Amino acid sequence: MDDDLSVRRALRRPVQSAGYTVVTFASAGEFLESPTLAQAACLVLDIALEGMSGFELQERLAADHPSLPIIFITALGDATTRGRVRHSGVAAHLHKPFDEYALLDAIRRAVDKGPMGGGGRAD
């Protein structure tokens, strides 16, 4: 999930090529209102979203979907953000720009540890 269309498109290609079903969203609200949430095996989530931030969405999902692995992506590199990420319990954190292989590796590790294991959707 990223509010930048070009980032969503760039993320979609390699993840689909790796065999995952990909559904993209521009906002946390759009994701929360979709039926995709119940089927998601992993969530790739930008921290700096308009409206509800990635941190806020993660907190909201923790109550109802605690086993949903989250991979944070961000261009933010300040000490406060790094500290929050370290203590957030996410499956992985990638700093933009990142290599598509790093993303795919993070998704594979997260999905393999997740409740569905070995496959599924990357949202």
Side-chain angles (χ1 to χ4, degrees):
M1 175 179 328
D2 197 295
D3 50 9
D4 184 327
L5 178 59
S6 64
V7 172
R8 291 194 310 271
R9 286 180 178 159
L11 294 176
R12 174 187 288 273
R13 287 182 205 109
V15 177
Q16 279 184 323
S17 294
Y20 295 100
T21 300
V22 178
V23 180
T24 61
F25 299 94
S27 71
E30 189 180 315
F31 173 67
L32 289 170
E33 292 174 6
S34 89
T36 300
L37 174 57
Q39 302 163 357
C42 178
L43 179 61
V44 177
L45 175 59
D46 191 3
I47 291 173
L49 294 171
E50 289 188 33
M52 184 184 306
S53 76
F55 289 122
E56 291 168 323
L57 178 57
Q58 180 202 22
E59 290 172 8
R60 185 159 174 188
L61 292 173
D64 296 327
H65 305 279
S67 61
L68 177 62
I70 294 175
I71 298 168
F72 274 148
I73 59 173
T74 188
L76 302 174
D78 61 272
T80 302
T81 300
R82 287 191 311 268
R84 283 189 76 182
V85 167
R86 266 194 306 278
H87 298 294
S88 67
V90 294
H93 168 244
L94 301 172
H95 194 270
K96 294 177 185 177
F98 49 83
D99 182 278
E100 71 182 52
Y101 299 106
L103 174 62
L104 292 174
D105 182 56
I107 291 171
R108 282 187 198 103
R109 285 185 284 119
V111 170
D112 287 347
K113 290 181 184 178
M116 295 177 71
R121 300 173 82 103
D123 295 308

